């Protein structure tokens, strides 16, 4: 279902770009915005009380956290916040590269929870567990879009910030040769 939202949003943004809206004139820019839309929807589930059964909720996501991970409630809230920050970062051109790289890492870190949920037969939203192959395919799709956006985005703004935080020391200039030995 969420993949349909991702692909539909991508096609809508790209169509708007084809109509002349410069923000969406490229596939990667449209993909960044589509991923942001998807993340707004998925992140909302992190904050929905377990009593709400009309959509995935906080309880569903806590159940997916492998038992080895401490503080599963806090981890679910944290990943929801990271998804929201990633979504915001994707729509701002200056932070798009950093957001896409961060989301790539987040999607990799979330993969074990999806594998655990499938192998432990954790129900999702009161339904049967999602099969492992489908869960992995979904994560690969999200990873692919994030990597595509990162590879297409300009990393220069992030480099400038890193340079301000950690400026390089000026190199010593060699003494001019005098011609005498």
């Amino acid at each position: 279902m969420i993949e349909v939202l991702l692909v539909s949003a991508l096609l809508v943004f790209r169509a708007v770009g084809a109509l002349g809206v410069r923000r969406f004139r490229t596939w990667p820019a449209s993909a960044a915005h589509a991923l942001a839309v998807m993340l707004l929807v998925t992140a909302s589930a992190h904050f929905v009380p377990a009593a709400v059964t009309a959509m995935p909720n906080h309880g569903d996501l806590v159940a997916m956290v492998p038992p080895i991970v401490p503080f599963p409630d806090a981890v679910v809230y944290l990943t929801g916040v990271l998804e929201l920050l990633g979504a915001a970062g994707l729509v701002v051109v200056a932070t798009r590269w950093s957001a896409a790289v961060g989301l790539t890492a987040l999607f990799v870190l979330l993969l074990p929870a999806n594998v655990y949920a499938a192998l432990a037969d954790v129900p999702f939203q009161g339904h049967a567990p999602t099969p492992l192959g489908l869960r992995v395919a979904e994560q690969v799709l999200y990873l692919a879009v994030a990597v595509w956006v990162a590879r297409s985005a300009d990393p220069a703004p992030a480099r400038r910030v890193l340079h301000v935080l950690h400026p390089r020391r000026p190199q010593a200039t060699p003494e001019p040769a005098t011609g005498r030995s």
Side-chain angles (χ1 to χ4, degrees):
M1 176 66 170
I2 202 70
E3 303 76 30
V4 173
L5 173 64
L6 177 62
V7 172
S8 298
L10 172 61
L11 294 174
V12 167
F13 285 130
R14 191 59 198 100
V16 170
L19 293 173
V21 177
R22 289 180 10 171
R23 177 172 275 281
F24 308 116
R25 72 176 169 238
T26 68
W27 282 101
S30 296
H33 287 80
L35 189 57
V37 167
M38 184 205 82
L39 287 167
L40 289 175
V41 173
T42 59
S44 68
H46 292 75
F47 307 101
V48 172
V52 175
T53 58
M55 65 179 287
N57 61 49
H58 182 78
D60 290 325
L61 298 175
V62 168
M64 291 176 56
V65 178
I68 194 169
V69 177
F71 312 110
D73 273 318
V75 168
V76 169
Y77 286 127
L78 175 64
T79 56
V81 168
L82 292 174
E83 287 182 16
L84 291 172
L85 290 172
L90 287 172
V91 299
V92 177
V93 174
T95 58
R96 185 169 294 155
W97 180 83
S98 298
V101 169
L103 287 166
T104 298
L106 180 64
F107 293 146
V108 169
L109 291 173
L110 293 177
L111 183 58
N114 283 289
V115 171
Y116 166 77
L119 296 178
D121 289 328
V122 175
F124 192 69
Q125 197 181 350
H127 298 97
T130 308
L132 179 60
L134 183 56
R135 285 183 180 269
V136 171
E138 290 171 347
Q139 286 298 118
V140 168
L141 172 65
Y142 309 150
L143 269 165
V145 173
V147 168
W148 181 27
V149 170
R151 289 180 51 86
S152 306
D154 181 9
R159 280 197 211 119
R160 282 194 293 274
V161 169
L162 292 174
H163 180 72
V164 168
L165 296 175
H166 300 287
R168 291 183 182 204
R169 294 182 188 165
Q171 301 257 344
T173 55
E175 302 259 343
T178 60
R180 289 190 264 168
S181 306

